[in-house]
Short mmCIF file of all heavy atoms in Angstrom, two decimals:
data_model
loop_
_atom_site.label_atom_id
_atom_site.label_comp_id
_atom_site.label_asym_id
_atom_site.label_seq_id
_atom_site.Cartn_x
_atom_site.Cartn_y
_atom_site.Cartn_z
N THR A 28 -34.08 -60.90 95.42
CA THR A 28 -34.43 -62.32 95.36
C THR A 28 -33.81 -63.08 96.59
O THR A 28 -34.36 -64.08 96.97
CB THR A 28 -33.87 -62.94 94.06
OG1 THR A 28 -32.40 -62.82 94.09
CG2 THR A 28 -34.36 -62.20 92.83
N GLY A 29 -32.67 -62.59 97.12
CA GLY A 29 -32.11 -63.23 98.22
C GLY A 29 -33.06 -63.32 99.41
O GLY A 29 -33.15 -64.39 100.13
N LEU A 30 -33.72 -62.17 99.74
CA LEU A 30 -34.71 -62.20 100.87
C LEU A 30 -35.83 -63.14 100.59
O LEU A 30 -36.26 -63.93 101.44
CB LEU A 30 -35.17 -60.73 101.11
CG LEU A 30 -36.24 -60.61 102.13
CD1 LEU A 30 -35.75 -61.03 103.49
CD2 LEU A 30 -36.73 -59.18 102.20
N ALA A 31 -36.37 -63.06 99.35
CA ALA A 31 -37.54 -63.93 99.03
C ALA A 31 -37.20 -65.38 99.06
O ALA A 31 -37.97 -66.23 99.59
CB ALA A 31 -38.01 -63.55 97.67
N VAL A 32 -36.10 -65.79 98.50
CA VAL A 32 -35.66 -67.20 98.52
C VAL A 32 -35.40 -67.65 99.90
O VAL A 32 -35.83 -68.79 100.33
CB VAL A 32 -34.44 -67.38 97.61
CG1 VAL A 32 -33.84 -68.82 97.80
CG2 VAL A 32 -34.79 -67.18 96.14
N ARG A 33 -34.65 -66.87 100.68
CA ARG A 33 -34.41 -67.26 102.07
C ARG A 33 -35.70 -67.46 102.91
O ARG A 33 -35.84 -68.40 103.56
CB ARG A 33 -33.47 -66.21 102.74
CG ARG A 33 -33.01 -66.54 104.05
CD ARG A 33 -31.89 -67.46 104.11
NE ARG A 33 -31.66 -68.03 105.45
CZ ARG A 33 -30.64 -68.76 105.82
NH1 ARG A 33 -29.65 -68.97 104.95
NH2 ARG A 33 -30.50 -69.23 107.05
N TYR A 34 -36.56 -66.53 102.71
CA TYR A 34 -37.84 -66.56 103.31
C TYR A 34 -38.62 -67.81 103.00
O TYR A 34 -39.10 -68.57 103.84
CB TYR A 34 -38.67 -65.33 103.13
CG TYR A 34 -40.15 -65.44 103.47
CD1 TYR A 34 -40.52 -65.00 104.77
CD2 TYR A 34 -41.10 -65.85 102.61
CE1 TYR A 34 -41.85 -65.07 105.16
CE2 TYR A 34 -42.43 -65.90 102.96
CZ TYR A 34 -42.86 -65.50 104.23
OH TYR A 34 -44.12 -65.57 104.57
N ALA A 35 -38.79 -68.08 101.68
CA ALA A 35 -39.60 -69.20 101.21
C ALA A 35 -38.96 -70.56 101.63
O ALA A 35 -39.66 -71.50 101.96
CB ALA A 35 -39.77 -69.13 99.73
N GLY A 36 -37.67 -70.59 101.64
CA GLY A 36 -36.98 -71.85 102.01
C GLY A 36 -37.11 -72.17 103.52
O GLY A 36 -37.28 -73.24 103.91
N GLU A 37 -37.11 -71.03 104.33
CA GLU A 37 -37.21 -71.28 105.80
C GLU A 37 -38.67 -71.66 106.09
O GLU A 37 -38.85 -72.43 107.00
CB GLU A 37 -36.88 -69.96 106.51
CG GLU A 37 -35.39 -69.68 106.47
CD GLU A 37 -35.03 -68.40 107.26
OE1 GLU A 37 -36.00 -67.69 107.65
OE2 GLU A 37 -33.82 -68.12 107.43
N LYS A 38 -39.67 -71.10 105.38
CA LYS A 38 -41.06 -71.32 105.73
C LYS A 38 -41.48 -72.72 105.16
O LYS A 38 -42.45 -73.31 105.74
CB LYS A 38 -41.91 -70.24 105.12
CG LYS A 38 -41.65 -68.87 105.68
CD LYS A 38 -42.09 -68.82 107.11
CE LYS A 38 -41.94 -67.44 107.67
NZ LYS A 38 -42.32 -67.31 109.14
N GLY A 39 -40.93 -73.16 104.04
CA GLY A 39 -41.36 -74.44 103.44
C GLY A 39 -42.80 -74.43 103.05
O GLY A 39 -43.24 -73.55 102.37
N CYS A 40 -43.59 -75.41 103.55
CA CYS A 40 -44.99 -75.52 103.18
C CYS A 40 -45.82 -74.36 103.85
O CYS A 40 -46.99 -74.22 103.47
CB CYS A 40 -45.55 -76.87 103.63
SG CYS A 40 -45.55 -77.18 105.40
N LYS A 41 -45.28 -73.67 104.80
CA LYS A 41 -46.00 -72.55 105.43
C LYS A 41 -45.65 -71.22 104.77
O LYS A 41 -46.11 -70.18 105.35
CB LYS A 41 -45.63 -72.52 106.91
CG LYS A 41 -46.06 -73.78 107.68
CD LYS A 41 -45.74 -73.62 109.11
CE LYS A 41 -46.18 -74.88 109.95
NZ LYS A 41 -45.84 -74.76 111.38
N CYS A 42 -45.05 -71.19 103.69
CA CYS A 42 -44.73 -69.95 102.96
C CYS A 42 -46.03 -69.26 102.57
O CYS A 42 -46.97 -69.88 102.08
CB CYS A 42 -43.94 -70.26 101.69
SG CYS A 42 -43.59 -68.74 100.70
N ALA A 43 -46.10 -67.94 102.83
CA ALA A 43 -47.34 -67.15 102.52
C ALA A 43 -47.60 -66.95 101.05
O ALA A 43 -48.75 -66.63 100.73
CB ALA A 43 -47.25 -65.81 103.27
N PHE A 44 -46.60 -67.11 100.18
CA PHE A 44 -46.77 -66.87 98.80
C PHE A 44 -47.32 -68.08 98.10
O PHE A 44 -46.91 -69.21 98.32
CB PHE A 44 -45.47 -66.44 98.18
CG PHE A 44 -44.88 -65.17 98.78
CD1 PHE A 44 -43.64 -65.15 99.34
CD2 PHE A 44 -45.67 -64.01 98.80
CE1 PHE A 44 -43.10 -64.00 99.89
CE2 PHE A 44 -45.11 -62.90 99.39
CZ PHE A 44 -43.83 -62.83 99.93
N ASP A 45 -48.23 -67.88 97.16
CA ASP A 45 -48.71 -68.92 96.32
C ASP A 45 -47.86 -69.26 95.11
O ASP A 45 -47.89 -70.35 94.53
CB ASP A 45 -50.18 -68.58 95.85
CG ASP A 45 -51.13 -68.55 96.97
OD1 ASP A 45 -51.58 -69.64 97.46
OD2 ASP A 45 -51.47 -67.45 97.47
N ALA A 46 -46.99 -68.27 94.75
CA ALA A 46 -46.04 -68.50 93.66
C ALA A 46 -45.05 -67.32 93.70
O ALA A 46 -45.37 -66.24 94.29
CB ALA A 46 -46.67 -68.49 92.28
N MET A 47 -43.84 -67.54 93.16
CA MET A 47 -42.81 -66.51 93.19
C MET A 47 -42.11 -66.50 91.81
O MET A 47 -41.98 -67.53 91.19
CB MET A 47 -41.75 -66.76 94.28
CG MET A 47 -42.32 -66.97 95.68
SD MET A 47 -41.04 -67.00 96.96
CE MET A 47 -40.03 -68.42 96.30
N THR A 48 -41.65 -65.29 91.41
CA THR A 48 -40.83 -65.11 90.28
C THR A 48 -39.51 -64.39 90.72
O THR A 48 -39.60 -63.27 91.29
CB THR A 48 -41.49 -64.38 89.16
OG1 THR A 48 -42.60 -65.09 88.66
CG2 THR A 48 -40.51 -64.17 87.98
N MET A 49 -38.37 -64.98 90.45
CA MET A 49 -37.07 -64.44 90.78
C MET A 49 -36.34 -63.98 89.46
O MET A 49 -36.10 -64.95 88.66
CB MET A 49 -36.23 -65.43 91.55
CG MET A 49 -36.91 -66.05 92.82
SD MET A 49 -37.09 -64.89 94.14
CE MET A 49 -38.85 -64.71 94.13
#
Side-chain angles (χ1 to χ4, degrees):
T28 65
L30 176 61
V32 168
R33 184 80 195 191
Y34 167 87
E37 289 180 353
K38 296 294 185 181
C40 64
K41 296 182 179 180
C42 177
F44 300 121
D45 293 281
M47 307 189 301
T48 297
M49 308 288 110

